[in-house]
Amino acid sequence: MGLVNTPIETYKLNGVNVDVKRDDLVGDGINYPRWSKIGGIRKILESNYIDKSKPLVHLSVYGSWTGWVLSGLCKEYGIKFISAYPKTDKFPQVLLERVLSNGGSLHPMRPNVMSIMLNKLGTQIKENNWQKLPYAFNHPAYINYMGDRMKKVLEGKHYDNLIVSMGSGVTASGLIKSFLVYKDDWWKYDKSSRKVYSITMSRISSTKKILNENNAGDQNNILLETSPFAFDDMMIDYEVPFDCNEFWDKKQWYWLEKNIKKLKGETLFWNIGGSYLKSIN
């Protein structure tokens, strides 16, 4: 499958035009969630990283659609899928039902911090001869796919500013490498180049680590801040003129509203996902 094509729409924000890449339209919200990451995950499954004869397990936590996506894709590729998840009342039952409806199986785990759950799952993977995907889909096939999509966008228009939310920084790595035209000499870029502005919902140090690992970590051209909002603050009273994810993109749009007047040139906002609340109700 080739590159997914989603529209770019222009919105007026405080009197300034902002182009929005509507990647909340990658999925249809029925068979797959409205999420930019689907195509990149597909590329990993199509690579030689995956042994299609072995069960694939992945930990999906509150706020993530990975179980839903992987159960659907594994059904397409004939891979047995096991969705690990923290067994809590908070975890949406509807997402578990989507996994089951796609033929996947569930692997409930005792709730704990992410690192402990991943370590426990890693032990179980070895014991059961399962396989797993790289953390946050941090694989060249995924990153190159996102980079190719950015290249396609830049064929149509020049942009000076990229606005994209970050968690781990993996999805943004692919976009940034193509936006800033990074190669192996990424550290040489100076402040006259394009700019990337991002709110991260993770620790800045861990996000920067992922960016650096993927040669997309130039501190001169990437302005990274932490959000003033808690991760699970859905910002119910704040409205955005398009469908976006409450955990990441909505907070990024809020930042842009407060800072748009400070930016120079043409601005592209890459909307990674649609509403999580709509997907579970």
Side-chain angles (χ1 to χ4, degrees):
M1 183 175 290
L3 298 177
V4 173
N5 185 30
T6 54
I8 294 177
E9 299 174 348
T10 302
Y11 293 86
K12 190 79 74 174
L13 184 61
N14 289 342
V16 180
N17 285 337
V18 176
D19 282 1
V20 177
K21 181 63 170 170
R22 293 290 306 276
D23 263 13
D24 55 288
L25 300 177
V26 169
D28 59 7
I30 299 172
N31 296 303
Y32 287 102
R34 300 186 182 279
W35 205 25
S36 180
K37 301 184 180 185
I38 299 170
I41 298 171
R42 182 185 293 277
K43 289 299 181 183
I44 301 178
L45 295 185
E46 291 176 346
S47 73
N48 57 11
Y49 185 87
I50 293 297
D51 181 349
K52 294 182 173 58
S53 67
K54 293 175 62 175
L56 173 66
V57 64
H58 192 86
L59 175 62
S60 187
V61 296
Y62 178 75
S64 174
W65 288 312
T66 52
W68 180 3
V69 170
L70 283 168
S71 64
L73 291 176
C74 285
K75 181 180 180 180
E76 289 186 35
Y77 290 100
I79 303 170
K80 182 179 180 181
F81 177 65
I82 303 166
S83 184
Y85 69 98
K87 190 176 182 180
T88 66
D89 293 336
K90 186 177 183 180
F91 198 94
Q93 183 65 31
V94 64
L95 296 184
L96 300 178
E97 292 170 356
R98 290 185 185 277
V99 171
L100 295 174
S101 68
N102 282 326
S105 58
L106 301 177
H107 182 68
M109 299 183 68
R110 181 178 178 180
N112 213 318
V113 297
M114 177 71 84
S115 59
I116 293 178
M117 292 187 69
L118 287 172
N119 285 337
K120 176 65 175 178
L121 185 60
T123 299
Q124 295 170 339
I125 288 171
K126 292 179 182 178
E127 292 173 347
N128 292 280
N129 196 31
W130 296 337
Q131 63 182 328
K132 64 178 181 177
L133 292 174
Y135 172 72
F137 312 120
N138 193 9
H139 185 276
Y142 180 95
I143 292 170
N144 292 339
Y145 175 83
M146 296 307 298
D148 288 343
R149 296 195 61 225
M150 174 59 80
K151 290 176 185 176
K152 194 70 177 175
V153 167
L154 295 176
E155 288 175 3
K157 183 174 179 180
H158 169 82
Y159 291 101
D160 303 284
N161 310 300
L162 171 64
I163 315 298
V164 60
S165 63
M166 293 192 203
S168 66
V170 173
T171 298
S173 290
L175 298 175
I176 290 170
K177 289 181 75 172
S178 291
F179 185 74
L180 297 180
V181 201
Y182 278 164
K183 296 181 181 178
D184 291 336
D185 56 351
W186 56 272
W187 61 86
K188 296 180 182 178
Y189 284 79
D190 59 31
K191 293 183 179 180
S192 63
S193 303
R194 289 168 167 157
K195 298 290 189 298
V196 178
Y197 300 88
S198 181
I199 290 292
T200 179
M201 298 309 297
S202 300
R203 294 191 307 273
I204 285 183
S205 59
S206 62
T207 301
K208 284 185 175 181
K209 181 175 182 291
I210 292 291
L211 294 174
N212 287 331
E213 287 175 359
N214 291 303
N215 290 345
D218 178 22
Q219 296 181 17
N220 288 326
N221 300 86
I222 302 173
L223 289 86
L224 189 61
E225 300 178 17
T226 53
S227 174
F229 300 96
F231 174 74
D232 56 0
D233 184 342
M234 298 297 193
M235 302 176 69
I236 299 297
D237 296 328
Y238 180 68
E239 295 186 3
V240 177
F242 50 88
D243 188 26
C244 70
N245 189 277
E246 296 88 354
F247 296 113
W248 287 278
D249 306 287
K250 199 173 190 179
K251 297 174 175 71
Q252 187 68 63
W253 186 259
Y254 176 89
W255 178 92
L256 183 59
E257 182 180 25
K258 301 299 181 185
N259 292 276
I260 185 65
K261 295 285 191 178
K262 302 175 185 177
L263 307 187
K264 298 178 181 179
E266 299 292 327
T267 297
L268 174 66
F269 182 98
W270 200 290
N271 192 46
I272 293 177
S275 169
Y276 187 79
L277 288 178
K278 290 180 182 176
S279 74
I280 62 174
N281 292 320

